Amino acid sequence: MNDSAPAPAPRRARVRAPELIGKGGWLNTGDEQYTLADLRGRIVILDFWTFCCINCLHVLDELRELEEKHRDTVVIIGVHSPKFVHEAEHQAVVDAVERYEVEHPVLDDPELATWKQYAVRAWPTLVVIDPEGYVVAQHAGEGHAHAIARLVEELEAEHAEKGTLRRGDGPYVAPEPEPTVLRFPGKALALPNGNLLVSDTTRHQLVELEADGESVVRRIGSGVRGFADGAAEAAAFSEPQGLALLDDGSVVVADTVNHALRRLDLATGEVTTLAGTGRQWWQGSPTSGPAREVDLSSPWDVAVFNGGVWIAMAGVHQLWAYDPAEGTVGVAAGTTNEGLVDGPGAEAWFAQPSGLAATADRLWLADSETSALRWVDLDGAVHTAVGTGLFDFGHRDGAAEQALLQHPLGVTALPDGSVAVSDTYNHALRRYDPATGEVTTLATDVREPSDAVLVGDDIVVVESARHRLTRLRLPEEAVRVESVAHRTQRAATEVAPGGLRLDVIFQAPAGQKLDTRYGPSTRLLVSSTPPELLLKGEGAGTDLSRALELNPAVTEGVLHVSAMAASCDDDPANEYPACHVHQQDWGVPVRLTEGGADRLPLVLAGMDE
């Protein structure tokens, strides 16, 4: 027992928190509207997120334990800040809040007003506000829950002593559940018996439906979020998505939030685990090995191709492959860098691959964050059919090189060699024909389609936001639509041509230090679109600050910055300190302007003082 006086609370930089403004208003509050003054006395954590972003979904899961443990002192508020045009629609935000079981108030900020007030530069970003209304910390990216939990405990003790902490119920009001057969279904699979298997994602189940796509034959899974093998009624999933039929007649399931592949025995309903540990993959983790011993990261879809089960590993922007015969899993393509780069698999960049479809000689994929349709050949090389990058999207038919999609999640191979794309945020089913290089529209007014499956001459679309399967006859003539093109709504940062100082701010959480036992504990990777924007400073290094030189001849572009830092408990007596990885990717639109900024600060963790 230690009778000495407690150490004084650490001095923190404090900035008065700007007001919370959002044209879309508040969700999950029973129609109550809130200001920061209403929350005074509570520790407020602002989670700047957008529902397309896999890293944002990871953070929602990271925060669940903190939210439950400190429910009487902490109020988490999701500030929904859209990247895509569809994400600015209020009903789409309402749907996403239910889809991902967000159990805290959400401010719908379609015009990015609060995002700009807090000078946020990346999804996700977490901002901590103390009970007196001051910003005391900011964190970008994933892996910060442990640091915020420690800060929350410090703030609880500090403000309880000052008398400025107010305990009690928070403003969260749960919405009424809707009685539908499916709830935000993800993917579908035609079974050998003529029935359809659907991942009922928000209900954490698989549902077998009769051929009509409506009548329930059976449900697989308890319906409670969890990770458990066993009989159909006892097994547990967490937001399952992709489905594929294996040669032995069983089904492999992408169990997304459990970071695992599961196996469903269709005859018995028994569920077992094929790959994954239940833990999320982080930089430095093994990238191949025995399947049950290797961490995965948000597997979103699966397809049998070229002798293996390929996995759209949305969480790390890669494709992995599982070998059923050997029981192994490993990276097949992608570097973990987010973007659109073709070439040999080991050098390609993806951006949240979310849909797969295999033919004899191609693996088609919907690369959602680049609004792209891409494919892998039998040699493992990656090609792009439609799409240009992270910031251009829309609904435009015609020649593939100028056609536009908006965050597609599914792709389906058609008998004639063309592919149907579930163009999710355009509420459309599109078609790409490799023979002509043309993109057309097959159907519109399908609400957030996330997958489609061929059944005879029909195509059955998973109409996710209408909670149903919709059967369409493949039309002879394509639907004609008005062309629209969009760029991300984020304002470009004005920077001066020539020298630009890039500073990634990282302050190790209290009680921790940078982990330098095995060499440098930080990593910084910088590139640009177009590549000629950067005259100097491109590439990888271990220093979190770097001198860049911008090309005056390029007036605007995007700086791609990826940073990682590892910190460990700072206790010399502990031989095996707990360590944590903090990481974030930024895509910063910049405009070169005389008199613009000559320094670009990006906060990974801490405050830019």
Side-chain angles (χ1 to χ4, degrees):
M1 188 170 180
N2 188 348
D3 294 324
S4 60
R11 286 184 57 81
R12 295 188 194 88
R14 298 207 313 172
V15 177
R16 177 63 73 180
E19 191 51 84
L20 304 177
I21 308 162
K23 196 171 181 181
W26 290 81
L27 306 175
N28 279 359
T29 62
D31 294 327
E32 289 290 323
Q33 306 296 303
Y34 284 89
T35 67
L36 277 178
D38 298 325
L39 304 170
R40 198 62 48 82
R42 311 299 288 273
I43 300 162
V44 177
I45 300 172
L46 303 182
D47 175 15
F48 288 88
W49 70 300
T50 188
F51 63 78
C52 71
C53 157
I54 191 68
N55 312 89
C56 300
L57 303 186
H58 289 166
V59 167
L60 282 176
D61 290 310
E62 285 179 12
L63 292 176
R64 291 186 199 278
E65 185 180 342
L66 175 79
E67 193 165 26
E68 185 57 42
K69 184 176 179 182
H70 298 275
R71 198 170 282 283
D72 65 333
T73 58
V74 170
V75 176
I76 297 176
I77 293 173
V79 182
H80 189 270
S81 315
K83 170 186 172 180
F84 289 97
V85 169
H86 170 59
E87 292 174 312
E89 295 175 20
H90 182 69
Q91 185 57 46
V93 182
V94 172
D95 288 345
V97 167
E98 181 191 348
R99 182 194 296 267
Y100 298 116
E101 295 184 333
V102 179
E103 295 183 349
H104 50 247
V106 171
L107 177 64
D108 180 11
D109 182 20
E111 296 176 344
L112 302 179
T114 297
W115 164 287
K116 292 168 187 168
Q117 286 293 307
Y118 281 82
V120 174
R121 292 186 185 275
W123 297 277
T125 290
L126 297 167
V127 175
V128 182
I129 301 171
D130 72 12
E132 294 178 284
Y134 289 90
V135 174
V136 292
Q138 182 171 328
H139 302 262
E142 303 178 49
H144 302 295
H146 69 284
I148 291 176
R150 188 178 293 231
L151 175 57
V152 163
E153 289 171 0
E154 290 176 6
L155 290 170
E156 284 177 340
E158 179 183 332
H159 287 273
E161 187 176 334
K162 288 175 70 175
T164 48
L165 184 69
R166 178 167 58 90
R167 295 179 181 269
D169 292 336
Y172 171 67
V173 177
E176 287 291 319
E178 296 282 344
T180 52
V181 171
L182 302 172
R183 205 71 196 157
F184 298 105
K187 304 288 185 182
L189 176 68
L191 297 178
N193 65 2
N195 289 349
L196 293 164
L197 187 68
V198 184
S199 51
D200 196 11
T201 305
T202 297
R203 293 218 179 104
H204 314 296
Q205 290 181 317
L206 309 179
V207 181
E208 184 176 346
L209 300 173
E210 291 181 11
D212 62 8
E214 296 178 6
S215 306
V216 175
V217 176
R218 59 175 169 166
R219 291 181 178 271
I220 313 291
S222 66
V224 177
R225 183 192 294 272
F227 191 8
D229 288 342
E233 62 278 2
F237 300 95
S238 187
E239 299 182 30
Q241 287 280 352
L243 307 164
L245 203 59
L246 296 179
D247 290 341
D248 65 3
S250 66
V251 173
V252 59
V253 182
D255 193 6
T256 304
V257 178
N258 278 328
H259 311 294
L261 296 189
R262 316 291 292 282
R263 176 184 183 272
L264 168 63
D265 185 316
L266 285 172
T268 65
E270 187 86 9
V271 175
T272 51
T273 300
L274 294 175
T277 62
R279 296 184 301 271
Q280 183 185 336
W281 187 93
W282 289 97
Q283 291 287 351
S285 302
T287 55
S288 63
R292 291 293 304 274
E293 299 173 19
V294 176
D295 298 341
L296 309 181
S297 183
S298 298
W300 208 275
D301 203 4
V302 280
V304 177
F305 174 67
N306 205 13
V309 177
W310 285 59
I311 309 163
M313 203 72 79
V316 282
H317 317 299
Q318 289 180 311
L319 301 179
W320 287 44
Y322 165 69
D323 185 332
E326 298 293 327
T328 56
V329 69
V331 175
T335 63
T336 77
N337 297 321
E338 184 179 16
L340 194 153
V341 177
D342 289 340
E347 299 170 16
W349 291 24
F350 301 99
Q352 220 168 292
S354 302
L356 299 175
T359 65
D361 60 353
R362 289 187 182 189
L363 178 70
W364 292 98
L365 68 115
D367 204 25
S368 63
E369 280 292 289
T370 51
S371 297
L373 172 65
R374 306 176 73 185
W375 54 280
V376 182
D377 63 28
L378 291 172
D379 294 324
V382 179
H383 312 261
T384 297
V386 182
T388 58
L390 285 164
F391 298 99
D392 292 289
F393 50 90
H395 192 152
R396 188 162 64 198
D397 287 337
E401 55 269 19
Q402 57 86 53
L404 293 172
L405 308 169
Q406 186 180 182
H407 197 81
L409 291 178
V411 60
T412 308
L414 300 179
D416 65 356
S418 67
V419 288
V421 180
S422 294
D423 193 6
T424 310
Y425 288 5
N426 280 327
H427 311 301
L429 192 66
R430 312 285 293 283
R431 176 177 178 263
Y432 167 69
D433 186 352
T436 63
E438 292 286 311
V439 175
T440 53
T441 297
L442 295 173
T444 57
D445 191 31
V446 281
R447 184 79 185 167
E448 289 194 23
S450 52
D451 195 20
V453 60
L454 277 174
V455 178
D457 292 332
D458 296 341
I459 191 162
V460 176
V461 180
V462 180
E463 206 174 354
S464 187
R466 285 199 179 114
H467 320 292
R468 69 187 188 192
L469 303 186
T470 300
R471 186 180 291 262
L472 303 172
R473 178 56 54 99
L474 284 173
E476 296 294 325
E477 292 293 322
V479 178
R480 297 203 178 278
V481 296
E482 203 67 43
S483 291
V484 289
H486 302 290
R487 298 215 83 203
T488 179
Q489 296 186 49
R490 292 174 57 195
T493 299
E494 294 198 345
V495 295
L500 178 69
R501 183 76 189 172
L502 172 66
D503 289 326
V504 174
I505 296 24
F506 178 77
Q507 293 151 6
Q512 295 187 11
K513 64 178 182 179
L514 286 172
D515 177 19
T516 54
R517 292 171 298 164
Y518 307 109
S521 61
T522 54
R523 187 189 73 156
L524 180 65
L525 178 69
V526 181
S527 63
S528 67
T529 304
E532 47 274 17
L533 172 64
L534 271 178
L535 294 176
K536 192 177 83 172
E538 184 180 10
T542 57
D543 193 340
L544 291 182
S545 291
R546 188 176 300 179
L548 310 181
E549 187 175 342
L550 304 182
N551 185 348
V554 178
T555 56
E556 62 178 34
V558 179
L559 290 175
H560 304 281
V561 180
S562 177
M564 185 199 76
S567 62
C568 295
D569 291 345
D570 187 11
D571 181 359
N574 186 353
E575 189 178 352
Y576 302 104
C579 297
H580 306 274
V581 175
H582 317 253
Q583 64 184 53
Q584 172 62 3
D585 296 332
W586 291 267
V588 183
V590 293
R591 182 177 299 113
L592 273 59
T593 311
E594 291 297 337
D598 60 5
R599 176 177 178 262
L600 178 61
L602 300 175
V603 177
L604 179 60
M607 299 278 283
D608 180 24
E609 299 175 28

